[in-house]
């Protein structure tokens, strides 16, 4: 149990069990789920149990001039949680208490390490709902969701994480504890510091407590499947759904590559001959059937080959489960596409105005052909937020290079359409250059000025976002 | 047409008609609608017509070291738009063009001087809706609404202005033009600069273009009136509505003082014997009648003397109009309450957790008695956001002093309940000390650091918020 002065001080503050230094353990904290992003080896992983211990970690690291990399469950897809060499990783996994659920005021107060599904389950018991539902919801933490402003399938009707964050407790680089926001339904007191921290990917402070807004539990929902002869036709249906003022509670797209990957991963009877499938739902209870009819009409008019409603909640749940399986199924498909299981994915996350979705999907097909790579597309069609998943052979630099080129071309296309380089995954390491393109030199300078104002020595999560 | 070098430079950039110096005209730009706040005499009022002219005003003012006070329609209620002596007022009134309405992507792009009601009307023609509806919506501008993060009656279901702001163009203190945000439904690229500027009350930059999200037009709504024997009983009904997971599209409270003031201002047949009246609505079309029944049940259980539905849309509109008249009616009531029309109002804007509404209303009655002032209460009950309006004799320093004491006591009470000093009006000049109390010394330092990062010389709207 010997160590450096840094480690000694951390152990003194957190006890031995709050400080990990075994290299085998440290390796588990090196990276999130983003493929092909650099990750360093941390000097130490700390697991503080409360705000005071977070303050101790931050102050100790600051004293030794060692950077702090905050981590949730490391399910992110942009490398934002990746360690840098010699850093202090600050895992919030041991801060996993739901501190309060208040049904009258429809709020919950949680520690950052609470898993999304745990919170959703607990509030569900009280007839309430915490809507944000990123793909990783069964393992990702509220702290991580807030830090990356996570999205999910609910967003088309219920918005992203930031819409549900009322207030935060944050440990600043100075070691001071900042409280932002409120517990009230409404409030405009001062600058919106809460939303400045949401999505800041651990670069401005360490979030130690979160007050979230809850909603009443949704009513019963009905689910629709529409099968299309082309991805562009599915995109056209989405634009028309939006133009007609319909508000589905779910509007997801799966392309043929994903349908086949999912069927291969776990046979579910999906129509793998379809070029694209739209999954739509309405959660308006007694009115859902009428909503579904209008959605079906639009899909048929846009050229769907087949449109059918899930016969019951079991089939609807199975369809949702198939959609949720897209990411692991595609990872497996990619791995198996190359010898030695060396296939990997570069995951894009562009969002374009809904009216441009069909053109984006056409463009992705063209880019795949031009770059000579396979690209599967899946995503939150109702938000115009697509995940073109680019399949590359990690063992073949030329394949990786082609994949990166396709990634860049898709980014360029989306920005040219008035889109954004990230709809929900965040910037992390993966999209720093594209963020700079998107926000321009003035935007970059303002980001730098805010970072410098809150974290003048660059203590937190260096190299991320900017 | 002689003047100082500052005026000469401004005239060279904007032409004579973009630069006002006539003292009679300048007086009209001294203050917003907040009573009893200090206001200085500006050196000049500028009315730029486009972003380039805003840049010219900002750069010119910066060159001469003269502060810039941005103004919309000056309908604010916290003094945030009040001039300071010798300042350059920058009115956005001449930038009033709707640049784009895109029904497929449900967005509009507007200049800051567009009046809220004008935008609402134009998008309404396309079957769309811009929800934020502050009391001043017929005259206030979108730029002002964004700068103060304005609320309104829609908020209980549809949220405040910030929920509808997707992107901004802002002229910074450096004269650089920053673009923030996006045109897409979803996007998490970088820090949320958009929402940092929303509600910053002109202290960080001048907003020159706004991209807002629109919603489909609401369905038909039905309206309910519940008459209570005490304000606290009405507060209890509100907490129970929330606890039961009901989501009315409107939930407003008027106390007896306001009911009488409105009847005196314009007789509408309101029950002036009621101690409090709740106005509720549901805009769920065919389901609104069932919603109304559940709301009525809750009100009756909470002790309402009488509960009735508006017989038709005309009666519903009249009730809404009565509510909208609360502010001018109360101003008139206050003016006439003292000799010489010298009565004035100190308008509070606290928001508390909905479950504490009844206790807040009880507390306000107690404070009125203890301080020896009349206080009428009106507000957005469904958000826990109340406007205790304190009636004072402006000609009597002792009366003003009693009013200020009551104002402070109400603030103290709301903060003790976990509330906020401003639910929707903003901080401006009126609540600077209370903001500091609410956010604490660390919060103040972070505000100052951000202000310094974006506006190092303190060019914009000095003395506001902080």
């Amino acid at each position: 149990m010997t160590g450096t002065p840094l480690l000694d001080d951390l152990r003194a503050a957190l006890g031995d069990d709050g400080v990990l230094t075994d290299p085998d353990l440290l390796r588990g904290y090196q990276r999130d789920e983003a493929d092909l992003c650099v990750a360093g080896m941390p000097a130490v992983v700390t697991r503080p149990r409360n705000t005071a211990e977070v303050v101790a970690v931050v102050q100790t690291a600051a004293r030794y001039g060692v950077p702090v990399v905050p981590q949730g469950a490391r399910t992110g897809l942009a490398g934002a949680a990746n360690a840098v060499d010699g850093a202090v990783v600050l895992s919030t996994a041991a801060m996993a208490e739901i501190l309060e659920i208040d049904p009258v005021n429809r709020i919950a107060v949680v520690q950052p390490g609470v898993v999304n599904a745990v919170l959703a389950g607990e509030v569900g018991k009280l007839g309430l709902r915490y809507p944000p539902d990123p793909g990783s919801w069964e393992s990702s933490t509220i702290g991580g969701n807030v830090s990356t402003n996570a999205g999910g399938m609910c967003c088309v009707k219920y918005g992203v994480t930031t819409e549900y964050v009322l207030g935060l407790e944050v440990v600043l680089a100075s070691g001071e504890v900042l409280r932002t926001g409120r517990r009230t339904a409404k409030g405009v007191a001062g600058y919106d510091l809460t939303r400045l921290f949401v999505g800041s990917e651990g670069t401005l402070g360490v979030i130690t407590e979160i007050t979230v807004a809850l909603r009443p539990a949704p009513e019963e929902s009905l689910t629709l499947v529409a099968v299309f002869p082309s991805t562009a036709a599915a995109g056209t249906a989405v634009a028309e759904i939006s133009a007609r003022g319909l508000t589905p509670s779910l509007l997801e797209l799966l392309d043929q590559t994903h349908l086949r990957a999912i069927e291969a991963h776990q046979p579910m009877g999906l129509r793998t001959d379809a070029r694209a499938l739209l999954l739509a739902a309405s959660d308006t209870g007694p009115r859902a059937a009428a909503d579904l009819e209008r959605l079906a009409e639009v899909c048929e008019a846009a050229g769907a080959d087949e449109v059918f409603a899930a016969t019951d909640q079991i089939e609807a749940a199975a369809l949702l489960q198939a959609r949720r399986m897209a990411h692991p199924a595609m990872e497996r498909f990619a791995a198996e596409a190359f010898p030695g299981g060396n296939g990997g994915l570069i995951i894009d996350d562009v969002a374009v105005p809904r009216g441009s979705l069909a053109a984006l999907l056409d463009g992705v097909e063209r880019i795949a052909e031009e770059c000579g790579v396979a690209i599967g597309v899946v995503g939150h069609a109702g938000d115009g937020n697509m995940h073109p998943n680019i399949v590359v052979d990690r063992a073949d630099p030329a394949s990786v290079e082609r994949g990166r080129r396709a990634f860049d071309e898709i980014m360029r296309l989306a920005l040219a359409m008035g889109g954004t380089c990230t709809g929900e995954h965040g910037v992390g390491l993966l999209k720093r250059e594209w963020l700079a393109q998107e926000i321009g030199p003035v935007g970059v300078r303002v980001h730098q000025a805010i970072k410098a104002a809150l974290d003048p020595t660059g203590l937190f999560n260096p190299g991320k976002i900017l």
Side-chain angles (χ1 to χ4, degrees), chain A:
Chain A
M1 271 308 174
T2 58
T4 64
L6 169 71
L7 296 181
D8 293 343
D9 287 2
L10 288 172
R11 286 197 187 101
L14 272 62
D16 287 351
D17 55 341
V19 180
L20 313 181
T21 53
D22 177 336
D24 287 339
L25 292 177
L26 296 191
R27 268 190 285 278
Y29 290 84
Q30 278 192 278
R31 54 171 68 250
D32 65 18
E33 292 183 12
D35 218 340
L36 298 165
C37 280
V38 296
M41 178 58 74
V44 55
V45 170
T46 57
R47 293 168 55 93
R49 280 148 295 210
N50 52 50
T51 302
E53 290 190 357
V54 172
V55 169
V57 172
V58 168
Q59 286 180 330
T60 305
R63 201 158 56 237
Y64 291 99
V66 175
V68 174
V69 178
Q71 285 185 351
R74 295 180 308 282
T75 53
L77 291 166
N82 284 12
V84 293
D85 281 331
V88 173
V89 162
L90 192 162
S91 167
T92 57
M95 296 175 73
E97 207 178 325
I98 296 176
L99 302 170
E100 181 186 353
I101 300 175
D102 176 344
V104 173
N105 294 304
R106 291 187 203 150
I107 60 173
V109 183
V110 304
Q111 288 190 313
V114 170
V115 168
N116 182 308
V118 171
L119 177 62
E122 289 301 315
V123 304
K125 290 177 192 166
L126 300 170
L128 292 165
R129 178 186 185 201
Y130 174 67
D133 62 346
S136 59
W137 76 297
E138 289 179 289
S139 54
S140 64
T141 62
I142 302 296
N145 295 171
V146 169
S147 294
T148 59
N149 195 5
M153 295 202 271
C154 76
C155 305
V156 64
K157 184 165 176 180
Y158 296 101
V160 296
T161 298
T162 194
E163 314 301 339
Y164 297 91
V165 184
L166 294 178
L168 297 171
E169 182 187 82
V170 183
V171 175
L172 301 174
S174 60
E176 291 172 304
V177 179
L178 171 71
R179 291 200 73 97
T180 76
R182 57 197 157 88
R183 293 168 61 90
T184 54
K186 228 167 140 184
V188 298
Y191 300 155
D192 190 347
L193 300 182
T194 303
R195 280 163 163 170
L196 181 62
F197 284 97
V198 174
S200 65
E201 300 184 2
T203 63
L204 300 179
V206 181
I207 294 169
T208 49
E209 189 187 291
I210 303 145
T211 303
V212 297
L214 306 172
R215 291 179 65 100
E219 298 186 273
E220 229 177 291
S221 73
L222 293 176
T223 301
L224 181 94
V225 176
V227 177
F228 289 88
S230 71
T231 52
T236 301
V238 169
E240 186 60 20
I241 286 167
S242 177
R244 289 210 196 172
L246 306 181
T247 52
S249 56
L250 180 108
L251 188 52
E252 298 288 313
L253 182 145
L254 293 151
D255 76 350
Q256 191 169 48
T257 306
H258 279 87
L259 292 170
R260 291 182 177 174
I262 294 165
E263 274 299 302
H265 190 60
Q266 184 170 322
M268 310 186 75
L270 295 172
R271 267 193 55 183
T272 53
D273 62 320
R275 293 302 299 274
L277 186 145
L278 276 186
L279 201 59
S282 175
D283 64 356
T284 54
R287 303 180 67 185
D291 292 345
L292 235 57
E293 259 176 54
R294 297 181 68 193
L295 291 168
E297 271 171 38
V298 174
C299 289
E300 277 158 9
D305 292 327
E306 189 190 355
V307 180
F308 61 93
T311 48
D312 53 26
Q313 293 304 319
I314 295 167
E315 189 182 356
L319 286 163
L320 211 67
Q321 189 49 30
R323 165 63 185 90
R324 287 206 175 275
M325 216 175 286
H327 181 59
M330 193 67 191
E331 278 194 319
R332 182 168 153 190
F333 169 84
E336 292 174 358
F338 294 100
N342 265 325
L345 285 182
I346 309 180
I347 301 178
D348 238 317
D349 172 42
V350 291
V352 296
R354 284 176 284 235
S356 304
L357 188 59
L360 174 72
L361 293 167
D362 263 347
V364 170
E365 281 188 22
R366 183 179 43 72
I367 289 166
E369 209 167 299
E370 283 172 10
C371 296
V373 289
I375 306 180
V377 181
V378 63
H380 313 297
D383 295 312
N385 181 202
M386 286 289 114
H387 303 310
N389 288 314
I390 304 160
V391 183
V392 297
D393 182 355
R394 280 188 278 200
D396 174 5
S399 168
V400 172
E401 180 50 34
R402 285 198 301 277
R404 289 202 199 275
R405 190 147 51 84
F407 180 84
D408 286 344
E409 287 298 322
I410 292 169
M411 289 291 193
R412 195 167 290 123
L413 178 64
L415 292 194
M417 287 173 169
T420 174
C421 68
T422 176
E424 59 176 18
H425 292 169
V427 175
L429 295 167
L430 196 60
K431 278 161 274 179
R432 287 182 300 182
E433 291 76 15
W434 284 103
L435 175 72
Q437 287 263 351
E438 182 172 335
I439 65 178
V442 178
V444 169
R445 278 198 291 279
V446 172
H447 273 71
Q448 287 165 337
I450 288 171
K451 169 75 174 173
L454 288 174
D455 180 15
T457 67
L459 182 69
F460 291 127
N461 217 6
K464 312 302 164 55
I465 298 183
L466 295 167

Short mmCIF file of all heavy atoms in Angstrom, two decimals, chain A residues 98-129:
data_model
loop_
_atom_site.label_atom_id
_atom_site.label_comp_id
_atom_site.label_asym_id
_atom_site.label_seq_id
_atom_site.Cartn_x
_atom_site.Cartn_y
_atom_site.Cartn_z
N ILE A 98 -31.11 7.39 -4.49
CA ILE A 98 -32.24 8.27 -4.79
C ILE A 98 -32.57 8.98 -3.49
O ILE A 98 -32.98 8.35 -2.52
CB ILE A 98 -33.45 7.48 -5.31
CG1 ILE A 98 -33.10 6.79 -6.64
CG2 ILE A 98 -34.67 8.39 -5.48
CD1 ILE A 98 -34.21 5.90 -7.19
N LEU A 99 -32.36 10.28 -3.45
CA LEU A 99 -32.49 11.01 -2.19
C LEU A 99 -33.92 11.37 -1.86
O LEU A 99 -34.30 11.50 -0.70
CB LEU A 99 -31.62 12.27 -2.24
CG LEU A 99 -30.13 12.03 -2.50
CD1 LEU A 99 -29.41 13.34 -2.77
CD2 LEU A 99 -29.49 11.29 -1.33
N GLU A 100 -34.75 11.53 -2.91
CA GLU A 100 -36.11 12.01 -2.68
C GLU A 100 -36.94 11.82 -3.94
O GLU A 100 -36.45 12.04 -5.05
CB GLU A 100 -36.03 13.51 -2.34
CG GLU A 100 -37.36 14.16 -2.04
CD GLU A 100 -37.24 15.68 -1.85
OE1 GLU A 100 -36.10 16.21 -1.81
OE2 GLU A 100 -38.28 16.34 -1.76
N ILE A 101 -38.18 11.38 -3.75
CA ILE A 101 -39.17 11.44 -4.84
C ILE A 101 -40.39 12.15 -4.27
O ILE A 101 -40.92 11.73 -3.24
CB ILE A 101 -39.56 10.04 -5.35
CG1 ILE A 101 -38.32 9.30 -5.88
CG2 ILE A 101 -40.60 10.15 -6.46
CD1 ILE A 101 -38.62 7.85 -6.30
N ASP A 102 -40.79 13.24 -4.91
CA ASP A 102 -41.89 14.07 -4.41
C ASP A 102 -43.00 14.08 -5.45
O ASP A 102 -42.92 14.81 -6.45
CB ASP A 102 -41.33 15.49 -4.16
CG ASP A 102 -42.41 16.48 -3.73
OD1 ASP A 102 -43.62 16.18 -3.91
OD2 ASP A 102 -42.05 17.56 -3.23
N PRO A 103 -44.04 13.26 -5.23
CA PRO A 103 -45.08 13.14 -6.26
C PRO A 103 -45.90 14.42 -6.44
O PRO A 103 -46.36 14.70 -7.54
CB PRO A 103 -45.97 12.00 -5.73
CG PRO A 103 -45.18 11.32 -4.67
CD PRO A 103 -44.28 12.37 -4.09
N VAL A 104 -46.13 15.19 -5.36
CA VAL A 104 -46.95 16.39 -5.50
C VAL A 104 -46.25 17.40 -6.40
O VAL A 104 -46.85 17.98 -7.30
CB VAL A 104 -47.23 17.02 -4.11
CG1 VAL A 104 -47.92 18.37 -4.27
CG2 VAL A 104 -48.08 16.08 -3.27
N ASN A 105 -44.95 17.58 -6.19
CA ASN A 105 -44.21 18.54 -7.00
C ASN A 105 -43.56 17.90 -8.22
O ASN A 105 -42.90 18.59 -8.99
CB ASN A 105 -43.18 19.26 -6.13
CG ASN A 105 -43.87 20.11 -5.09
OD1 ASN A 105 -44.68 20.95 -5.44
ND2 ASN A 105 -43.59 19.85 -3.82
N ARG A 106 -43.79 16.60 -8.38
CA ARG A 106 -43.27 15.87 -9.54
C ARG A 106 -41.78 16.11 -9.76
O ARG A 106 -41.35 16.50 -10.85
CB ARG A 106 -44.05 16.26 -10.81
CG ARG A 106 -45.47 15.76 -10.81
CD ARG A 106 -46.14 16.03 -12.16
NE ARG A 106 -47.58 16.06 -12.04
CZ ARG A 106 -48.40 16.78 -12.80
NH1 ARG A 106 -47.91 17.53 -13.76
NH2 ARG A 106 -49.69 16.73 -12.62
N ILE A 107 -41.01 15.90 -8.70
CA ILE A 107 -39.55 15.99 -8.84
C ILE A 107 -38.91 14.81 -8.12
O ILE A 107 -39.51 14.19 -7.24
CB ILE A 107 -38.97 17.31 -8.26
CG1 ILE A 107 -39.28 17.45 -6.77
CG2 ILE A 107 -39.48 18.52 -9.02
CD1 ILE A 107 -38.60 18.64 -6.12
N ALA A 108 -37.68 14.53 -8.52
CA ALA A 108 -36.85 13.58 -7.78
C ALA A 108 -35.48 14.21 -7.61
O ALA A 108 -35.04 15.01 -8.45
CB ALA A 108 -36.74 12.26 -8.53
N VAL A 109 -34.83 13.87 -6.51
CA VAL A 109 -33.47 14.33 -6.26
C VAL A 109 -32.60 13.09 -6.15
O VAL A 109 -32.89 12.19 -5.35
CB VAL A 109 -33.38 15.18 -4.98
CG1 VAL A 109 -31.96 15.71 -4.78
CG2 VAL A 109 -34.38 16.33 -5.02
N VAL A 110 -31.55 13.03 -6.97
CA VAL A 110 -30.74 11.81 -7.01
C VAL A 110 -29.25 12.14 -6.98
O VAL A 110 -28.83 13.22 -7.37
CB VAL A 110 -31.02 10.97 -8.29
CG1 VAL A 110 -32.50 10.62 -8.40
CG2 VAL A 110 -30.56 11.68 -9.56
N GLN A 111 -28.49 11.16 -6.54
CA GLN A 111 -27.04 11.23 -6.71
C GLN A 111 -26.71 10.84 -8.16
O GLN A 111 -27.50 10.17 -8.83
CB GLN A 111 -26.37 10.29 -5.72
CG GLN A 111 -26.43 10.81 -4.27
CD GLN A 111 -25.55 9.99 -3.35
OE1 GLN A 111 -25.57 8.77 -3.36
NE2 GLN A 111 -24.77 10.68 -2.52
N PRO A 112 -25.54 11.24 -8.64
CA PRO A 112 -25.24 11.05 -10.07
C PRO A 112 -25.13 9.60 -10.50
O PRO A 112 -25.35 9.28 -11.68
CB PRO A 112 -23.92 11.79 -10.26
CG PRO A 112 -23.31 11.86 -8.90
CD PRO A 112 -24.46 11.97 -7.96
N GLY A 113 -24.78 8.70 -9.57
CA GLY A 113 -24.55 7.31 -9.97
C GLY A 113 -25.81 6.47 -10.06
O GLY A 113 -25.73 5.26 -10.36
N VAL A 114 -26.97 7.06 -9.82
CA VAL A 114 -28.23 6.30 -9.94
C VAL A 114 -28.42 5.88 -11.40
O VAL A 114 -28.32 6.71 -12.31
CB VAL A 114 -29.42 7.14 -9.45
CG1 VAL A 114 -30.75 6.47 -9.79
CG2 VAL A 114 -29.31 7.41 -7.96
N VAL A 115 -28.69 4.60 -11.60
CA VAL A 115 -28.90 4.11 -12.96
C VAL A 115 -30.28 4.56 -13.46
O VAL A 115 -31.26 4.54 -12.70
CB VAL A 115 -28.77 2.57 -13.00
CG1 VAL A 115 -29.27 1.99 -14.31
CG2 VAL A 115 -27.32 2.18 -12.74
N ASN A 116 -30.31 4.99 -14.70
CA ASN A 116 -31.54 5.51 -15.31
C ASN A 116 -32.73 4.57 -15.07
O ASN A 116 -33.79 5.00 -14.61
CB ASN A 116 -31.29 5.73 -16.81
CG ASN A 116 -32.49 6.32 -17.54
OD1 ASN A 116 -33.60 5.79 -17.45
ND2 ASN A 116 -32.28 7.41 -18.26
N ALA A 117 -32.52 3.28 -15.34
CA ALA A 117 -33.63 2.31 -15.21
C ALA A 117 -34.10 2.18 -13.75
O ALA A 117 -35.28 1.92 -13.50
CB ALA A 117 -33.20 0.95 -15.74
N VAL A 118 -33.19 2.35 -12.82
CA VAL A 118 -33.56 2.28 -11.40
C VAL A 118 -34.48 3.45 -11.04
O VAL A 118 -35.53 3.27 -10.41
CB VAL A 118 -32.30 2.26 -10.50
CG1 VAL A 118 -32.69 2.40 -9.03
CG2 VAL A 118 -31.50 0.98 -10.75
N LEU A 119 -34.10 4.64 -11.48
CA LEU A 119 -34.95 5.81 -11.22
C LEU A 119 -36.29 5.64 -11.90
O LEU A 119 -37.35 5.87 -11.30
CB LEU A 119 -34.26 7.09 -11.70
CG LEU A 119 -35.09 8.37 -11.54
CD1 LEU A 119 -35.41 8.66 -10.08
CD2 LEU A 119 -34.41 9.57 -12.19
N ALA A 120 -36.26 5.24 -13.17
CA ALA A 120 -37.51 5.06 -13.92
C ALA A 120 -38.42 4.06 -13.20
O ALA A 120 -39.63 4.28 -13.10
CB ALA A 120 -37.21 4.61 -15.34
N GLY A 121 -37.84 2.98 -12.70
CA GLY A 121 -38.62 1.97 -12.00
C GLY A 121 -39.22 2.50 -10.71
O GLY A 121 -40.40 2.29 -10.42
N GLU A 122 -38.43 3.23 -9.93
CA GLU A 122 -38.91 3.74 -8.65
C GLU A 122 -40.02 4.77 -8.83
O GLU A 122 -41.02 4.74 -8.10
CB GLU A 122 -37.76 4.34 -7.84
CG GLU A 122 -36.78 3.30 -7.30
CD GLU A 122 -37.45 2.27 -6.40
OE1 GLU A 122 -38.26 2.65 -5.54
OE2 GLU A 122 -37.18 1.05 -6.59
N VAL A 123 -39.85 5.68 -9.78
CA VAL A 123 -40.91 6.69 -9.95
C VAL A 123 -42.14 6.05 -10.58
O VAL A 123 -43.27 6.46 -10.32
CB VAL A 123 -40.43 7.93 -10.76
CG1 VAL A 123 -39.21 8.56 -10.09
CG2 VAL A 123 -40.17 7.61 -12.21
N GLY A 124 -41.92 5.01 -11.39
CA GLY A 124 -43.04 4.28 -11.99
C GLY A 124 -43.97 3.69 -10.95
O GLY A 124 -45.19 3.67 -11.12
N LYS A 125 -43.38 3.25 -9.83
CA LYS A 125 -44.21 2.68 -8.75
C LYS A 125 -45.19 3.71 -8.19
O LYS A 125 -46.19 3.35 -7.57
CB LYS A 125 -43.30 2.19 -7.60
CG LYS A 125 -42.49 0.96 -7.95
CD LYS A 125 -41.58 0.59 -6.78
CE LYS A 125 -40.54 -0.45 -7.21
NZ LYS A 125 -39.46 -0.57 -6.19
N LEU A 126 -44.87 4.99 -8.37
CA LEU A 126 -45.73 6.06 -7.84
C LEU A 126 -46.59 6.68 -8.94
O LEU A 126 -47.16 7.76 -8.77
CB LEU A 126 -44.85 7.14 -7.20
CG LEU A 126 -43.98 6.66 -6.03
CD1 LEU A 126 -42.98 7.73 -5.63
CD2 LEU A 126 -44.85 6.28 -4.84
N GLY A 127 -46.66 5.99 -10.09
CA GLY A 127 -47.48 6.52 -11.18
C GLY A 127 -46.83 7.69 -11.89
O GLY A 127 -47.50 8.50 -12.53
N LEU A 128 -45.50 7.79 -11.77
CA LEU A 128 -44.79 8.89 -12.41
C LEU A 128 -43.81 8.35 -13.44
O LEU A 128 -43.57 7.14 -13.53
CB LEU A 128 -44.04 9.71 -11.35
CG LEU A 128 -44.95 10.48 -10.39
CD1 LEU A 128 -44.17 10.95 -9.17
CD2 LEU A 128 -45.58 11.67 -11.11
N ARG A 129 -43.21 9.25 -14.19
CA ARG A 129 -42.31 8.84 -15.25
C ARG A 129 -41.15 9.81 -15.35
O ARG A 129 -41.33 11.02 -15.27
CB ARG A 129 -43.09 8.86 -16.57
CG ARG A 129 -42.27 8.49 -17.77
CD ARG A 129 -43.09 8.68 -19.02
NE ARG A 129 -42.38 8.23 -20.20
CZ ARG A 129 -42.65 8.62 -21.42
NH1 ARG A 129 -43.65 9.43 -21.65
NH2 ARG A 129 -41.95 8.18 -22.44
#
